[in-house]
Amino acid sequence: MSKFIFRCFASGSSGNCYYIGTHQQGILIDAGISARTIRTNLREMGLDFRNIMGILVTHDHADHIRAVGTLGERFHIPVYATHDIHAGIDRNYGVQEKLRTSRHYFEKGVEFSLCGMKINTFGISHDSTECVSYVIDADNVRFMIATDVGCVDDNLRQYIRTANYLVIEANHDERMLLNGPYPSYLKARILSDKGHMSNNTCGQLLAENYTGKLRHIFLCHLSKENNTPEVAYATVKNHLETIGLEVGKDIQMQTLERLTPSPAYDLI
């Protein structure tokens, strides 16, 4: 049986796109960077658009959906989202080619299968039309992604306790945000219950809900202006150390770059 792998192509307000699958075929989670860049990254892995069996959309903000029209309609890749998210995609002017034949629906909370993976979803609080987290089971491994998290709820806590690999938002350092150049309304939006999760909230959430099942944490959607990879990593690491975990030994952790693709990580 082929190993499942995870690779981040981009993560942040400039664009988000992730690959999960085998070395032969897989799916994308979000497509918020150009189709050309996605294809370049796939070709580095020996893949192309014909090897992508679908795109799972987390929500309808441009940095997550910029290329879905092109990938869906020109390259015939199915685009999976809830009815509300698809409605938001239709309204988004950042998607120049509208979805027609490639549109596929799922119901939040109802399991479905794609590309040899079982996929579950639950809602995330964010100021989009709707936002979902994906929980993906493949080859006895559970992979989870929760990005653009406005506030923590019981669903998020419970699923974290079941995950083996977790991609989770550590968007900003509160002090950098409050003392930074953003206007007051934008700071308020980011800090709201429909905004983004801070490094500190992320670290506290992980420390409070860690189980021995969790093997690898990937910190995603870091702000360019209000965070750095070093600050995000150190803040979350400090929280994990309070429960006796040694990062790099007991658990692995990486920050995902905004524009630079990550290595491919085996999900074992």
Side-chain angles (χ1 to χ4, degrees):
M1 181 178 291
S2 297
K3 287 183 180 178
F4 280 84
I5 60 174
F6 162 71
R7 190 181 185 209
C8 172
F9 294 162
S11 179
S13 58
S14 297
N16 298 268
C17 186
Y18 309 90
Y19 174 86
I20 180 171
T22 67
H23 290 281
Q24 289 76 45
Q25 63 178 13
I27 60 175
L28 299 177
I29 302 174
D30 289 337
I33 56 178
S34 72
R36 178 178 294 181
T37 301
I38 294 172
R39 179 173 243 172
T40 297
N41 292 328
L42 288 171
R43 285 178 170 172
E44 290 175 358
M45 304 164 65
L47 303 172
D48 208 327
F49 290 142
R50 66 181 177 276
N51 305 105
I52 301 302
M53 302 298 106
I55 303 166
L56 305 181
V57 179
T58 61
H59 63 289
D60 60 319
H61 284 168
D63 57 321
H64 294 259
I65 61 170
R66 191 168 286 114
V68 293
T70 301
L71 298 185
E73 297 305 313
R74 295 188 193 178
F75 297 100
H76 313 295
I77 301 174
V79 178
Y80 292 83
T82 66
H83 282 77
D84 284 345
I85 293 173
H86 267 303
I89 294 172
D90 289 342
R91 293 190 296 266
N92 194 304
Y93 292 108
V95 180
Q96 295 182 350
E97 188 151 0
K98 298 304 179 185
L99 297 175
R100 300 179 303 277
T101 60
S102 58
R103 185 192 306 260
H104 290 255
Y105 297 99
F106 63 81
E107 290 187 35
K108 185 172 59 180
V110 177
E111 183 178 282
F112 63 100
S113 296
L114 181 62
C115 201
M117 295 176 267
K118 294 182 179 179
I119 300 167
N120 284 281
T121 57
F122 64 91
I124 292 287
S125 176
H126 191 54
D127 60 354
S128 54
T129 304
E130 186 172 46
C131 187
V132 297
S133 170
Y134 289 99
V135 181
I136 299 174
D137 292 300
D139 198 17
N140 297 314
V141 168
R142 173 160 282 189
F143 172 93
M144 174 180 169
I145 180 167
T147 182
D148 296 63
V149 181
C151 66
V152 173
D153 65 10
D154 286 341
N155 275 331
L156 184 57
R157 296 185 185 97
Q158 290 168 8
Y159 274 112
I160 286 173
R161 294 171 195 152
T162 71
N164 305 122
Y165 294 84
L166 174 64
V167 179
I168 191 161
E169 180 176 56
N171 175 258
H172 60 276
D173 175 84
E174 293 100 328
R175 185 174 300 176
M176 289 176 68
L177 174 63
L178 291 171
N179 294 327
Y182 280 8
S184 296
Y185 78 88
L186 186 51
K187 292 178 182 180
R189 179 218 163 215
I190 292 169
L191 293 168
S192 76
D193 284 348
K194 291 186 176 294
H196 290 276
M197 185 157 60
S198 70
N199 301 335
N200 191 56
T201 300
C202 176
Q204 184 175 350
L205 172 67
L206 294 174
E208 291 176 349
N209 294 281
Y210 169 81
T211 72
K213 297 176 182 178
L214 188 58
R215 303 169 194 167
H216 208 135
I217 299 165
F218 301 93
L219 304 179
C220 73
H221 215 294
L222 275 65
S223 170
K224 178 182 178 181
E225 293 81 6
N226 305 304
N227 210 354
T228 68
E230 295 78 16
V231 168
Y233 185 95
T235 302
V236 175
K237 178 175 179 284
N238 288 341
H239 279 281
L240 294 174
E241 287 175 344
T242 65
I243 60 169
L245 290 178
E246 184 178 342
V247 176
K249 179 180 178 183
D250 302 317
I251 191 167
Q252 301 302 312
M253 185 167 70
Q254 267 80 36
T255 56
L256 298 176
E257 296 287 343
R258 297 177 58 256
L259 303 174
T260 305
S262 74
Y265 294 95
D266 290 333
L267 305 182
I268 55 176

